Amino acid sequence: DPAALRSALQLAGGLGTLAAPVAIRSLGAASAGVQLQRLQAAAVAAAALAFFVAPGAWPGEGGWWAAAAQLRVTREAALMAAVVVSRVGLWGFDLCERQLLQQSAPPRDAPLLFSFEKALAEAAGLLMLLLSVRFATPEQFGVLVGVSVAAVGACSAVLAAN
């Protein structure tokens, strides 16, 4: 149900905005941001795994897969749940990053910096929109999943390098 998914995504984002201040107080903004981004990366990886696993292999035999089968967890439900969890990390990371920018940027440079950041975010959104138009069939959805994994992975690599 698309409405239920959208509601869950908004709720998860709200949880991310509640989790970020708690994490910032206990870890500091930079460390909290890294941890919340790791949550996002793990959830995106789980979503990609759920998407790319062949339907005949899901849930498979034995272990956790058998337990999932007993609960009637479907590949699609696992994908959607992972996407929802990724929003907690995304929104939490966004708040940590925003706090770091506000603390670090000189007041005279802050408007230009925030405008540039917004422009980059809008450009990335436009790129994803264009890709979704180009790869519009259900058979091509894997391209969009791959691009999402690559983008989150690139963020993880940048954070790990610093």
Side-chain angles (χ1 to χ4, degrees), residues 68-127:
Q70 290 173 352
L71 295 172
R72 299 188 189 274
V73 173
T74 66
R75 179 178 130 182
E76 293 80 11
L79 171 66
M80 293 302 118
V83 170
V84 168
V85 170
S86 78
R87 288 291 177 100
V88 175
L90 172 66
W91 286 30
F93 171 80
D94 188 54
L95 285 177
C96 293
E97 180 261 350
R98 176 61 51 175
Q99 181 167 334
L100 284 170
L101 282 176
Q102 289 173 347
Q103 291 172 341
S104 303
R108 62 181 168 78
D109 296 336
L112 180 62
L113 180 63
F114 295 148
S115 295
F116 183 68
E117 178 193 27
K118 180 69 172 173
L120 287 176
E122 292 297 327
L126 178 60
L127 176 61

Side-chain angles (χ1 to χ4, degrees), residues 10-25 36 87-96:
Q10 293 302 318
L11 178 62
L15 290 174
T17 63
L18 295 174
V22 173
I24 289 169
R25 278 193 296 280
L36 287 162
R87 288 291 177 100
V88 175
L90 172 66
W91 286 30
F93 171 80
D94 188 54
L95 285 177
C96 293

Side-chain angles (χ1 to χ4, degrees), residues 51-52 128 131 135 139-148:
F51 179 79
F52 287 115
M128 282 303 287
L131 286 172
F135 301 102
E139 296 79 25
Q140 296 172 319
F141 187 68
V143 173
L144 301 176
V145 173
V147 170
S148 294

